Amino acid sequence: MTSSVLDLAPVVPVVVLEDAADAVPLARALVAGGLPAIEVTLRTAAAPDAIRAIAAEVPDAVVGAGTVISARNVADTVAAGARFLVSPGWTDALLDAMKGSGLPFLPGVSTTSEVVALLERGVTEMKFFPAEAAGGTAYLKALSAPLPQARFCPTGGISAASAPSYLALPNVGCVGGSWMVPGDAVAARDWARVERLAAGAAALRG
């Protein structure tokens, strides 16, 4: 894969799975729709098994772990086959663990000071979270002039309608969102609907 998560696709689906058995058909639907990078969040007990199943059975998917908040999370998800890591925020210890994994990673930021601190540590690619609550496109646009070396994957409250305005910004490589994996579609195992929504997301451009 590319060394940058930000360059895989314009949208990274943020997936919460209650049943690991849904992981493979869901991933196949997302890949078929044109979204190969899939962030499986560690918000449920099923997440490690879901990551493991996607890594083993969906070779065209680039499965990552989201909501990574500890060195143990890093170790467990790397062992499960994750190919990138995403955190909602960061500490020095977590950053060291993510760097030590050898995988691409996106540490979460929501303030200018956090961005500057990461730049000091040699990190230029970040997750901006929670995007809408933290200032949205206006905030990111304001960051682009003084900190042009920082690139972002905004996540949190982004929809199909708002995604293009984020993708139009020079410091945004992709966005994260869950509108292509709505809970009712996953519960109904309506993978055809997921594929259609994924295709719509894959076609988004700023």
Side-chain angles (χ1 to χ4, degrees):
M1 62 173 276
T2 173
S3 60
S4 173
V5 180
L6 301 184
D7 297 327
L8 289 170
V11 179
V12 176
V14 179
V15 175
V16 181
L17 283 172
E18 300 292 344
D19 187 346
D22 293 331
V24 167
L26 175 64
R28 286 175 175 157
L30 291 169
V31 170
L35 300 180
I38 302 168
E39 176 188 335
V40 177
T41 69
L42 302 182
R43 301 179 197 175
T44 67
D49 286 340
I51 291 169
R52 189 172 292 107
I54 295 170
E57 299 183 45
V58 191
D60 292 332
V62 180
V63 62
T67 323
V68 173
I69 59 171
S70 69
R72 177 64 182 269
N73 287 162
V74 172
D76 288 349
T77 53
V78 168
R83 294 172 64 185
F84 65 91
L85 307 170
V86 184
S87 68
W90 66 279
T91 64
D92 286 327
L94 178 57
L95 190 66
D96 288 343
M98 290 194 292
K99 278 189 168 186
S101 73
L103 298 180
F105 61 92
L106 296 174
V109 297
S110 61
T111 70
T112 307
S113 294
E114 290 170 323
V115 176
V116 172
L118 283 177
L119 292 174
E120 282 188 351
R121 296 287 303 270
V123 177
T124 59
E125 298 188 346
M126 312 166 195
K127 172 179 176 171
F128 179 59
F129 176 84
E132 287 288 282
T137 55
Y139 195 98
L140 286 171
K141 185 176 181 180
L143 288 181
S144 65
L147 301 170
Q149 64 272 54
R151 295 179 72 214
F152 300 95
C153 174
T155 305
I158 297 175
S159 66
S162 63
S165 62
Y166 282 94
L167 292 168
L169 297 174
N171 55 350
V172 170
C174 64
V175 301
S178 56
W179 72 87
M180 75 298 299
V181 284
D184 58 341
V186 175
R189 295 180 168 83
D190 188 350
W191 309 128
R193 181 183 171 202
V194 170
E195 182 178 341
R196 289 194 302 271
L197 290 170
L204 291 176
R205 289 295 183 272

